[in-house]
Amino acid sequence: MTDVKLADGVMLHVIKETKFKTVRLLVRFREEISPESLGKRVIISNMLETTNAVYRTGKDFSRKLSELYGASFATGVAKKGRQHLLSINMSFVNPKLVDFDTLGEAIGFLKTAIFEPDAINGEFNPQVFKREQTNLLHYLASMNDDRSYYASRKLADLFFADSKQALPSVATAELLAQENPRAVFEYYQEMLQTNAVDIFVLGDVDENRVVDLFSDFKFADRKSVSDFSGSKTDQPNSVSNFSAEKGADVFYRQSLRAVSTLTESKDVAQAILQLGYQLPVVYGDENYLTLQVMNGLLGGFAHSKLFTNVREKASLAYSISSTFDSFTGFLKIAAGIDASHYGKARALILEQVEAMKAGEFSDADLEQTKTMLRNTFFVSQDSPSNNIELEFVKALLPERFLTTERFVSELEKVSKENIQKVAQSLTLQAEYFLKSANLGQEQEGELNFEQ
């Protein structure tokens, strides 16, 4: 990979790769999550995807992308630890295959999208702004009708001590509704000047030409947010080697708290139980791959303890799984259950966690989990977007990056004793239960804090 600094805080990464027939571009803006800017960033993401000063309509967009032999253009938002990411993606056919300068045309299209937004007199086009704002509000309303999403939002609210960390990457209806075309456009100018920017180009391209094309982008110097000089936010523990000096602006950690619980009643056909655990292990730690294996055994795969014992053998869950966020130390167990089985299901789930702590799993299950993780890792390398995401993490956290060789060798070393040690650091911090409204109101809205 060729890395070129276009300005202070703006990096171009060119990844020469000949196995794909397409070229992939990614421009990613990032800054710390803030309720003041979150709604603005989500609206900007939608605005950039639908219009600009040159291509004003969806028809204009489609015509230009068709001229690029069916190129794709999309924007999106996401969270990674304490950082909020606004990304612009393009994918187009390799110019060598069509005898047409798709590379130059695509980068030109990208430059227009970023530096020539649909704005006049210091504000975004009010009509387009209103349309996109309304679309986003309708989208969030539909998302909140998804009870699993709703339950996950509630669990995050209970789990995170920092309310900013509990915010969804797509903002909230309240944050979106308060925005206007002028305030969002003014923030966009600030974002272009202050956000850390990473640009990735992956494909069979002429690296010097890519550098020349992007050197024409008008990015000014800015303070990088990846200097690893942020304030200390982690909690000392026995299984993490996380240090405040490395990745402190990316990783989010919080101290252990009293367990927060909330039960609500709504019109749902299936009750939802979600548990939030804190883990003192983050990406790149010594125990990171042990965490991957432990989660696979607990609830990450179909042969896991939760799926096998709670769903298959006891028939106490319609669905059940465990997932973790390696940038916040948040592990979630989510189960769709019959509300009348709440007590039995909860007890059996907690029993599976205790069994992990006691090392109650077979060598065959351990080896199967390692094999599935290894296969998933190698399959992901056939995807251009996954390759870029790996390179993004490498650029963000070079000292913690897991090369293929390191991933394979460290995965092989994970032992039952390692897994027990990591599992024993699981600490329940939040519990959310959503039940059907017709099963009684005695616990509705009840919020408890227990030691």
Side-chain angles (χ1 to χ4, degrees):
M1 182 168 71
T2 300
D3 297 326
V4 178
K5 186 171 83 171
L6 299 178
D8 288 347
V10 182
M11 291 296 299
L12 169 63
H13 315 273
V14 186
I15 309 159
K16 181 77 171 178
E17 179 55 75
T18 60
K19 67 180 179 181
F20 302 120
K21 294 181 179 179
T22 57
V23 177
R24 187 94 177 183
L25 304 182
L26 168 68
V27 180
R28 177 163 284 168
F29 299 87
R30 59 187 172 88
E31 67 175 23
E32 186 168 344
I33 297 168
S34 161
E36 288 74 28
S37 63
L38 185 57
K40 297 179 176 70
R41 294 173 70 86
V42 176
I43 294 174
I44 288 168
S45 174
N46 266 35
M47 292 289 293
L48 296 183
E49 189 177 65
T50 55
T51 182
N52 57 55
V54 176
Y55 306 101
R56 291 187 170 278
T57 66
K59 190 175 180 180
D60 293 339
F61 257 70
S62 297
R63 184 185 301 116
K64 181 60 181 176
L65 294 174
S66 294
E67 291 172 4
L68 296 178
Y69 293 86
S72 65
F73 179 89
T75 62
V77 293
K79 289 166 49 181
K80 192 173 286 296
R82 297 169 61 196
Q83 300 280 299
H84 189 260
L85 315 177
L86 193 165
S87 303
I88 305 172
N89 291 280
M90 281 198 78
S91 180
F92 53 91
V93 66
N94 187 319
K96 296 176 181 176
L97 301 178
V98 293
D99 194 26
F100 180 78
D101 186 18
T102 51
L103 177 67
E105 290 289 324
I107 293 177
F109 186 84
L110 190 63
K111 184 181 177 185
T112 298
I114 295 172
F115 295 104
E116 298 181 68
D118 188 4
I120 188 169
N121 297 327
E123 64 179 25
F124 276 117
N125 182 323
Q127 288 184 326
V128 177
F129 182 93
K130 186 63 179 177
R131 182 190 70 198
E132 296 305 322
Q133 186 181 40
T134 301
N135 287 343
L136 283 166
L137 289 170
H138 288 164
Y139 170 74
L140 285 187
S142 67
M143 288 292 288
N144 281 325
D145 286 338
D146 181 332
R147 295 311 185 194
S148 293
Y149 174 80
Y150 177 83
S152 294
R153 285 280 325 277
K154 287 291 187 180
L155 185 72
D157 287 340
L158 293 171
F159 180 87
F160 287 110
D162 184 346
S163 60
K164 292 188 296 184
Q165 197 60 41
L167 288 169
S169 63
V170 292
T172 63
E174 293 74 20
L175 292 175
L176 292 171
Q178 70 186 18
E179 298 299 347
N180 64 72
R182 184 169 297 278
V184 175
F185 183 71
E186 289 174 352
Y187 167 78
Y188 182 56
Q189 303 308 305
E190 176 186 330
M191 188 191 93
L192 290 177
Q193 297 292 321
T194 60
N195 270 208
V197 183
D198 281 289
I199 303 168
F200 293 87
V201 181
L202 182 147
D204 186 10
V205 295
D206 181 330
E207 292 166 277
N208 292 328
R209 177 130 197 278
V210 171
V211 173
D212 286 343
L213 290 168
F214 275 104
S215 295
D216 194 34
F217 280 42
K218 306 300 181 186
F219 285 118
D221 292 341
R222 75 278 322 274
K223 179 183 177 183
S224 171
V225 296
S226 290
D227 56 6
F228 305 130
S229 59
S231 60
K232 183 176 181 179
T233 58
D234 62 321
Q235 179 188 12
N237 55 76
S238 59
V239 297
S240 173
N241 62 6
F242 179 81
S243 77
E245 290 73 31
K246 295 178 181 177
D249 65 334
V250 179
F251 295 109
Y252 169 81
R253 302 310 308 267
Q254 64 186 25
S255 299
L256 293 176
R257 305 191 299 161
V259 179
S260 302
T261 66
L262 174 64
T263 296
E264 286 187 309
S265 298
K266 288 187 177 296
D267 183 17
V268 293
Q270 183 184 110
I272 295 175
L273 173 61
Q274 294 198 354
L275 306 175
Y277 287 84
Q278 183 164 315
L279 267 172
V281 181
V282 293
Y283 176 82
D285 274 351
E286 177 184 357
N287 293 297
Y288 176 64
L289 284 173
T290 302
L291 166 61
Q292 294 252 15
V293 178
M294 186 212 71
N295 182 66
L297 283 164
L298 176 62
F301 295 117
H303 68 278
S304 67
K305 297 185 79 66
L306 289 173
F307 192 88
T308 302
N309 296 321
V310 182
R311 184 182 186 278
E312 297 295 292
K313 292 183 179 178
S315 299
L316 288 175
Y318 301 109
S319 62
I320 189 164
S321 64
S322 65
T323 56
F324 66 91
D325 182 338
S326 56
F327 286 81
T328 63
F330 173 43
L331 183 142
K332 179 177 73 175
I333 295 176
I337 63 175
D338 185 322
S340 63
H341 295 155
Y342 165 74
K344 290 181 181 178
R346 180 181 180 278
L348 191 54
I349 290 170
L350 296 179
E351 187 179 305
Q352 303 314 302
V353 176
E354 293 306 310
M356 290 299 302
K357 294 180 179 181
E360 295 174 3
F361 49 84
S362 69
D363 291 340
D365 283 342
L366 174 56
E367 290 307 313
Q368 183 179 357
T369 304
K370 288 184 180 181
T371 298
M372 296 182 77
L373 287 170
R374 193 180 301 113
N375 291 345
T376 301
F377 179 80
F378 283 113
V379 168
S380 72
Q381 294 189 333
D382 288 333
S383 161
S385 59
N386 283 339
N387 273 262
I388 286 183
E389 289 302 327
L390 286 174
E391 294 297 338
F392 174 68
V393 174
K394 183 178 180 180
L396 195 63
L397 302 165
E399 296 180 6
R400 287 173 167 264
F401 181 68
L402 287 168
T403 62
T404 299
E405 295 74 19
R406 186 181 162 202
F407 179 91
V408 172
S409 65
E410 292 194 8
L411 180 65
E412 191 61 34
K413 293 176 187 173
V414 174
S415 67
K416 176 175 285 190
E417 291 72 26
N418 299 145
I419 294 169
Q420 277 185 259
K421 188 175 180 181
V422 169
Q424 286 164 4
S425 68
L426 277 170
T427 307
L428 183 64
Q429 293 285 270
E431 180 175 342
Y432 177 75
F433 181 47
L434 178 64
K435 65 180 181 178
S436 173
N438 61 14
L439 289 179
Q441 304 295 322
E442 69 279 4
Q443 289 183 293
E444 183 175 7
E446 182 181 357
L447 182 63
N448 298 314
F449 297 93
E450 303 169 350
Q451 291 293 345

